[in-house]
């Protein structure tokens, strides 16, 4: 039994431009928990971002045309813009063309052409659909939730496509996603290389192909119900990550879904995975119109003295060896994904108050590198130099009230004791001077305006009241304290 990993390029799946770059497969020697997969690029498309290999987080490239986004007007947008992607499990019997090459060292003769039997495998594990519709199958939610975990932490929206035209899954990008005809991400499965020793669990193509092939020989592995079928779900979420344009990462003991060897000590996308997907598609507030303008700002609410509000708390974590960063519950993860990204938060006040705002770049230091390099410490809190600004709506114009850009990478920008008046719409704006993604947490604290007579006494009372207040969950997954 081999005990180390071998990396080799898989030229067959790569267009010439990509050979030796991001497309690679990893061969894992750890029996039982191995993910041996490949993520290959298909044909390039004119006008796409193909060939733009991003430096950060082993990002390969983002979707340029999906069934619903992009088109005659051009591609889906630039990095950080939201995208909608459709998906469907193909019917059993649909051809899958084998593309994984032979490997004499493990007596693998190469992936053979054979029709998909993934539905039969899933029916065998979970039970078949009572109606014949895949959305009614007991296994459907495991696939849908795997997509939705990525959607919950990014600007991506996933839609289940109801049709499939039956074309083969092979190394060409076609058929492209078309509503009512084909999904963007077609999911099939067949025998790839058996289930003994180190072997393949699944593979996935990069955008704009992004189809997935699961090895149905590994049915016993996928049937393991530990962690609500975590082996199956982490495999699906890892492959979906490739289909979104993420490459493999070497994390050397830090939890990362996009490591070439499947991890089961964590569930779903981890810190590096979320940074990568937000760099490509933005945070979850970028979809449904986004928050790049005051008119589309995220609504923080109405406040009075003693209250506070915060967003982005789940990203403010530190690294602990062997511990996962995130579970499915951790979705309060916001970032500026580029210089072009503006994040506006709208607020009003019920009485004259003093606003103090803290904008902190967050992120742990963990191990990260490309798979063929030695992992090095990566400080996720020093990716972007943030700016904090406050605006007010004077009905004729939205004007600046205060701004802070006084510190650099890794440090907190602050606005201190800015007086706000009731009846006015205020907007806090977060942006970055750096062409990279930076997760942040934003804290807003509201204190009473001291009255001339007993100003110091009142201020002290308010500070004490604020400290003693109890945090509550507020709309938009932010935290808001109670009135003391
Ligand atoms: Ca296999
Ligand atoms: Ca496709
Ligand atoms: Ca953002
Ligand atoms: Ca934004
Ligand atoms: Zn390995
Ligand atoms: Zn992979």
């Amino acid at each position: 039994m081999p005990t180390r990993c071998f990396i080799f390029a898989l030229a067959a799946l790569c267009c010439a431009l990509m050979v030796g770059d991001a497309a690679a497969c990893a061969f894992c020697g750890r029996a039982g928990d191995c993910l041996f997969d490949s993520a290959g690029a298909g044909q390039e498309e004119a006008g796409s971002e193909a060939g733009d290999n991003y430096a950060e987080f082993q990002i390969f490239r983002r979707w340029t045309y999906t069934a619903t986004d992009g088109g005659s007007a051009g591609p889906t947008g630039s990095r950080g813009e939201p995208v909608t992607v459709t998906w469907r499990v193909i019917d059993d019997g649909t051809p899958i063309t084998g593309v994984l090459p032979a490997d004499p060292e493990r007596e693998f003769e190469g992936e053979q052409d054979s029709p998909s039997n993934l539905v039969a495998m899933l029916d065998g594990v979970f039970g078949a659909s009572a109606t014949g519709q895949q959305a009614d199958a007991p296994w459907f939610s495991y696939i849908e939730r795997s997509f939705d975990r990525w959607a919950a932490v990014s600007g991506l929206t996933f839609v289940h496509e109801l049709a499939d035209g039956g074309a083969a899954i092979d190394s060409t990008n076609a058929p492209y996603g078309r509503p009512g005809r084909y999904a963007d991400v077609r999911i099939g499965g067949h025998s790839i290389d058996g289930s003994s020793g180190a072997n393949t669990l699944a593979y996935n193509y990069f955008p704009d192909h992004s189809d997935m092939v699961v090895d149905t020989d590994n049915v016993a592995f996928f049937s393991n119900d530990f962690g609500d079928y975590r082996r199956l779900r982490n495999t699906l979420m890892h492959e979906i990550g490739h289909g979104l344009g993420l490459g493999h990462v070497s994390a050397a003991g830090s939890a990362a879904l996009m490591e070439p060897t499947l991890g089961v000590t964590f569930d779903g996308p981890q810190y590096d995975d979320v940074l990568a997907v937000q760099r490509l598609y933005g945070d979850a507030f970028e979809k449904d119109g986004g928050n790049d303008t005051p008119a589309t700002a995220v609504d923080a609410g109405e406040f009075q003295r003693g209250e506070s509000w915060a967003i982005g708390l789940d990203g403010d974590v530190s690294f602990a060896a062997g511990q996962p960063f995130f579970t499915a519950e951790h979705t309060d993860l916001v970032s500026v994904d580029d210089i072009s990204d503006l994040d506006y938060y709208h607020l009003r006040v019920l009485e004259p108050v003093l606003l103090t705002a803290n904008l902190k770049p967050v992120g742990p230091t963990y191990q990260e590198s490309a798979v063929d390099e030695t992992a090095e410490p990566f400080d996720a809190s020093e990716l972007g130099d943030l700016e904090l600004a406050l605006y007010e709506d004077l009905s004729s114009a939205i004007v600046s009230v205060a701004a802070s850009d006084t510190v650099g990478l890794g440090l907190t920008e602050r606005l201190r004791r800015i007086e706000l008046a009731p009846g006015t719409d205020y907007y806090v704006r977060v942006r970055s001077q750096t062409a990279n993604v930076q997760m942040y947490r934003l804290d807003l604290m509201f204190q009473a305006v001291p009255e001339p007579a007993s100003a110091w006494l009142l201020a002290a009372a308010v500070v004490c009241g604020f400290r003693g207040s109890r945090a509550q969950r507020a709309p938009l997954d932010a935290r808001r304290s109670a009135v003391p």
Side-chain angles (χ1 to χ4, degrees):
M1 183 69 62
T3 56
R4 53 186 277 267
C5 300
F6 303 88
I7 312 298
F8 51 94
L10 184 66
L13 286 183
C14 315
C15 51
L17 192 61
M18 309 300 179
V19 170
D21 273 343
C25 6
F27 177 79
C28 176
R30 205 167 70 202
D33 285 353
C34 295
L35 182 76
F36 164 48
D37 75 355
S38 57
Q43 294 172 336
E44 286 186 45
E45 179 161 357
S48 76
E49 293 182 342
D52 184 1
N53 284 334
Y54 304 138
E56 311 93 355
F57 318 115
Q58 326 316 324
I59 288 167
F60 188 52
R61 63 177 172 187
R62 58 175 256 138
W63 273 98
T64 53
Y65 294 87
T66 70
T68 55
D69 293 7
S72 56
T76 55
S78 53
R79 267 170 273 185
E81 298 294 312
V83 171
T84 296
V85 175
T86 63
W87 64 273
R88 182 171 180 81
V89 176
I90 61 175
D91 289 341
D92 280 7
T94 305
I96 298 175
T97 302
V99 292
L100 296 189
D103 180 1
E105 283 193 33
R106 59 188 184 102
E107 298 177 346
F108 173 46
E109 296 177 343
E111 182 190 5
Q112 304 299 304
D113 299 351
S114 68
S116 184
N117 59 7
L118 180 61
V119 172
M121 186 199 88
L122 293 168
D123 285 353
V125 176
F126 296 97
S129 170
T131 65
Q133 301 295 317
Q134 66 180 234
D136 294 323
W139 43 262
F140 182 82
S141 74
Y142 289 89
I143 302 176
E144 184 178 51
R145 281 186 285 139
S146 297
F147 281 100
D148 286 347
R149 284 290 300 280
W150 283 109
V153 296
S154 74
L156 289 155
T157 301
F158 295 103
V159 175
H160 181 237
E161 166 60 49
L162 297 178
D164 188 86
I169 290 180
D170 57 23
S171 61
T172 62
N173 280 7
Y176 294 100
R178 277 187 289 159
R181 185 73 174 144
Y182 281 109
D184 296 313
V185 177
R186 302 172 69 218
I187 303 171
H190 68 168
S191 170
I192 295 179
D193 65 356
S195 60
S196 63
N199 67 95
T200 308
L201 292 173
Y203 65 87
N204 208 99
Y205 294 91
F206 281 129
D208 282 352
H209 184 321
S210 294
D211 293 355
M212 185 191 303
V213 178
V214 174
D215 189 350
T216 53
D217 292 340
N218 290 94
V219 58
F221 182 85
F222 296 128
S223 301
N224 187 319
D225 65 2
F226 165 76
D228 192 22
Y229 295 90
R230 184 180 291 174
R231 284 170 172 76
L232 173 65
R233 290 185 302 104
N234 272 7
T235 299
L236 293 170
M237 288 188 278
H238 174 102
E239 302 304 339
I240 291 166
H242 285 316
L244 298 172
L246 275 56
H248 282 151
V249 62
S250 175
S254 311
L257 181 62
M258 295 314 294
E259 281 206 287
T261 304
L262 184 70
V264 293
T265 58
F266 55 86
D267 190 318
Q270 300 298 305
Y271 219 99
D272 198 71
D273 310 307
V274 174
L275 283 173
V277 78
Q278 292 195 351
R279 177 71 171 124
L280 283 181
Y281 303 102
D283 62 48
F285 290 116
E286 305 302 337
K287 50 192 162 196
D288 302 326
N291 60 355
D292 285 7
T293 67
T296 59
V298 173
D299 192 27
E302 291 189 313
F303 301 94
Q304 53 193 310
R305 70 183 75 179
E307 292 189 310
S308 66
W309 181 89
I311 197 164
L313 299 194
D314 288 341
D316 194 7
V317 295
S318 55
F319 169 72
Q323 294 301 307
F325 295 111
F326 301 137
T327 69
E329 307 301 312
H330 296 107
T331 57
D332 183 13
L333 300 166
V334 292
S335 67
V336 275
D337 53 67
D338 202 296
I339 295 170
S340 60
D341 184 24
L342 306 176
D343 289 357
Y344 279 95
Y345 298 91
H346 169 249
L347 64 110
R348 293 168 66 88
V349 294
L350 298 167
E351 59 180 340
V353 293
L354 298 178
L355 166 67
T356 293
N358 292 341
L359 174 63
K360 178 187 179 188
V362 298
T365 296
Y366 55 87
Q367 301 289 319
E368 202 262 21
S369 77
V371 283
D372 52 353
E373 296 167 4
T374 303
E376 294 179 347
F378 179 89
D379 186 346
S381 76
E382 295 194 350
L383 303 177
D385 182 353
L386 299 178
E387 291 177 38
L388 176 62
L390 177 69
Y391 293 83
E392 68 178 315
D393 188 347
L394 297 181
S395 71
S396 57
I398 293 176
V399 300
S400 174
V401 176
S404 174
D405 179 27
T406 55
V407 294
L409 291 176
L411 299 173
T412 299
E413 298 285 356
R414 301 178 198 280
L415 298 176
R416 288 185 177 84
R417 296 169 69 82
I418 311 292
E419 188 161 352
L420 307 185
T424 302
D425 290 296
Y426 293 97
Y427 301 93
V428 174
R429 191 193 70 186
V430 177
R431 65 181 294 179
S432 171
Q433 300 178 346
T434 313
N436 205 340
V437 63
Q438 178 62 63
M439 274 203 234
Y440 62 85
R441 75 173 271 177
L442 173 64
D443 285 88
L444 307 179
M445 291 148 283
F446 301 88
Q447 298 173 340
V449 178
E451 291 180 25
S454 53
W456 294 113
L457 199 63
L458 270 172
V462 167
V463 168
C464 291
F466 165 64
R467 282 188 182 147
S469 65
R470 195 161 50 89
Q472 285 183 341
R473 205 81 170 170
L476 299 168
D477 203 36
R479 274 80 160 174
R480 177 174 180 157
S481 73
V483 183

